[in-house]
Amino acid sequence: MHLIRADNFNLHQIANSGQCFRMLCIREGVYSVVSCGKYLELYQIGDLIFLGCSEDEYENFWSDYFDMKTDYSKIAVNTDDEFLNRAIEFGNGIRILQQDLFELIISFIISQRKNITSIKLAIDLLCRRFGEKFKGIGINANEVDAYAFPTAEALVNAPYDELAECGLGYRTRYIKAAAEWFLEWEKNKRDLSYNILVSEILGVGAKVANCICLFGLHQLEFCPIDVWVKRIFDEEYGGGIPSWATSEYAGVYQQYCFYYKRNQKG
DNA sequence: ACCCAGGCCATCT
DNA sequence: AGATGGCCTGGG
């Protein structure tokens, strides 16, 4: 067990911000998350975060995963934009996680035309079938069965029908192609960019590429425009593009606004 | 029973 | 370059 104090950190908001599909509420207030073959359970009381891992593992891994080195109090500042101010106030515990790139690419290809519940289900099935099973340590030092996200090799070698059975539908061939692309990319690790993602990976269009840049490459200026953000532009800005959407931290503001819009009035 | 979801691609005008 | 239809499937 490791304890930290954190500002601009809200576990519930992070888990429900739509950027991560493997952070689950397993009991009242307690969340589990798997990343890079590591399992963590954690909960929050006020600004205290209780983590079911060693200080060493926190410092070496989870601290970066939760982007603790970025000072969000410098991003979530008051502006002259009333809607943005309300969104920041509402969602200012959201952080941009530093997730595994391959997992990110596959997850957001899966996300197209699916709601969050369906995305989580498909990814869970994928991990159970093709991911490595391992023992995680729970918040009470108990042992937990966990599944890593499948490697690119595992998905390249996976029979098409078995992949499809995870509820991927027409995206199945995209997933296979993306896994093959990733293995090839890993050989030389040339710099990734929005244009490369869109032009080289089948099934990656503008929205998904923006998500990969923001959530997978931690380039905070990328602003994915989905139906919710479109709705914000239409209903709050008369169809125009607000200045935050083209700013240095556009992706963070997008998260605040997206979360606010989805969760307001009911 | 619908209807559509946090898109993308191919195929048109 | 802009608009339209098809696509898998499960949740609401």
Side-chain angles (χ1 to χ4, degrees):
Chain A
M1 168 85 82
H2 182 56
L3 176 62
I4 59 165
R5 212 185 64 73
D7 293 319
N8 298 283
F9 188 112
N10 184 305
L11 194 50
H12 178 263
Q13 289 179 340
I14 293 169
N16 292 289
S17 61
Q19 63 178 299
C20 169
F21 306 108
R22 299 203 74 202
M23 193 177 292
L24 310 173
C25 186
I26 54 172
R27 290 188 298 282
E28 184 68 28
V30 182
Y31 290 80
S32 73
V33 56
V34 180
S35 183
C36 297
K38 297 183 199 305
Y39 178 87
L40 178 71
E41 289 181 7
L42 70 171
Y43 62 93
Q44 172 169 23
I45 298 176
D47 60 358
L48 297 178
I49 319 295
F50 298 77
L51 304 117
C53 66
S54 66
E55 177 175 1
D56 204 47
E57 183 171 313
Y58 171 75
E59 296 297 343
N60 289 319
F61 185 77
W62 294 110
S63 130
D64 281 335
Y65 178 84
F66 287 108
D67 198 25
M68 300 309 279
K69 293 194 183 84
T70 299
D71 184 359
Y72 282 79
S73 68
K74 291 194 173 130
I75 303 174
V77 293
N78 204 42
T79 67
D80 57 4
D81 183 322
E82 275 312 308
F83 178 78
L84 180 59
N85 286 344
R86 277 184 276 136
I88 287 174
E89 187 179 2
F90 189 80
N92 82 338
I94 298 173
R95 312 177 75 86
I96 306 296
L97 302 176
Q98 296 190 210
Q99 304 180 65
D100 176 69
L101 178 61
F102 180 66
E103 174 171 348
L104 223 288
I105 293 172
I106 299 300
S107 296
F108 276 90
I109 291 175
I110 291 173
S111 78
Q112 56 186 94
R113 279 194 77 80
K114 274 181 176 290
N115 57 36
I116 291 181
T117 314
S118 305
I119 301 167
K120 284 180 173 170
L121 175 65
I123 292 176
D124 185 59
L125 291 172
L126 204 60
C127 293
R128 284 173 189 277
R129 190 172 309 213
F130 299 108
E132 190 184 338
K133 186 176 182 178
F134 68 99
K135 297 287 185 191
I137 304 296
I139 194 82
N140 298 316
N142 50 312
E143 212 171 62
V144 184
D145 281 341
Y147 294 85
F149 195 85
T151 62
E153 289 89 345
L155 295 188
V156 165
N157 295 328
Y160 186 92
D161 291 349
E162 288 189 33
L163 269 183
E165 282 169 17
C166 297
L168 305 182
Y170 66 89
R171 307 164 193 80
T172 309
R173 66 192 184 95
Y174 299 163
I175 303 300
K176 259 208 163 317
E180 285 163 10
W181 174 89
F182 189 83
L183 282 186
E184 208 46 46
W185 174 78
E186 267 196 319
K187 286 181 188 165
N188 41 29
K189 292 258 188 194
R190 64 192 200 284
D191 280 346
L192 277 188
S193 68
Y194 175 92
N195 287 333
I196 289 179
L197 292 166
V198 170
S199 62
E200 295 189 9
I201 310 182
L202 194 67
V204 172
K207 191 269 182 179
V208 172
N210 268 283
C211 288
I212 296 171
C213 289
L214 175 59
F215 304 130
L217 301 174
H218 206 67
Q219 296 175 353
L220 302 184
E221 72 273 25
F222 281 83
C223 178
I225 298 173
D226 53 41
V227 296
W228 288 95
V229 177
K230 274 202 192 83
R231 210 167 285 165
I232 291 169
F233 290 177
D234 288 345
E235 293 175 9
E236 310 294 338
Y237 298 96
I241 311 279
S243 60
W244 57 258
T246 53
S247 72
E248 183 184 1
Y249 297 116
V252 184
Y253 297 132
Q254 186 267 15
Q255 281 295 99
Y256 294 147
C257 291
F258 172 82
Y259 182 78
Y260 178 52
K261 191 72 176 174
R262 281 194 83 218
N263 292 96
Q264 68 179 355
K265 48 185 172 202

